[in-house]
């Protein structure tokens, strides 16, 4: 069984790489800083805006709430009206989820 070992970044400038996995129920985000000559280390995002506490599985709900005129008013953990009282007070919010 072959194993893949990450190689040092060969670029000449520091860069940020962000990976977003949008799933039907939950989504996740990871990132890596690319520093010249160093092996990149992938880091997960462990907490999102609106979450009460970090989840062990590093995911956020794949939910978006829109106003009637199509403006995003909340996404992910912010779509929980129990923690987002402003969302609970809005009229005619359109909740989109699987």
């Amino acid at each position: 069984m072959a194993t893949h070992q990450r190689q040092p970044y060969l670029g000449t400038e520091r860069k940020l790489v962000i990976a977003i996995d949008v799933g039907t129920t939950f989504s996740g985000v990871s990132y890596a800083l690319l520093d010249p000559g160093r092996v990149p280390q992938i880091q997960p995002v462990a907490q999102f805006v609106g979450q009460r506490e970090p989840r062990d599985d590093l995911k956020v709900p794949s939910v978006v709430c829109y106003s009637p005129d199509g403006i995003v008013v909340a996404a992910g953990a912010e779509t929980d009206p129990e923690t987002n009282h402003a969302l609970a007070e809005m009229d005619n919010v359109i909740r989109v989820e699987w």
Side-chain angles (χ1 to χ4, degrees), residues 11-73:
T12 58
E13 296 179 21
R14 185 178 221 202
K15 294 187 178 186
L16 171 66
V17 177
I18 300 172
I20 302 171
D21 174 14
V22 178
T24 55
T25 307
F26 289 97
S27 298
V29 179
S30 296
Y31 68 94
L33 288 174
L34 303 181
D35 285 314
R38 300 185 99 181
V39 175
Q41 300 296 314
I42 299 170
Q43 302 294 323
V45 174
Q47 188 168 10
F48 297 87
V49 174
Q51 271 183 319
R52 292 181 218 182
E53 55 193 55
R55 290 175 53 105
D56 290 337
D57 59 5
L58 307 175
K59 296 180 182 177
V60 65
S62 297
V63 180
V64 179
C65 291
Y66 295 91
S67 67
D69 55 354
I71 297 172
V72 175
V73 295

Side-chain angles (χ1 to χ4, degrees), residues 73-88:
V73 295
E78 295 179 311
T79 61
D80 183 354
E82 290 183 22
T83 57
N84 185 347
H85 302 292
L87 182 64

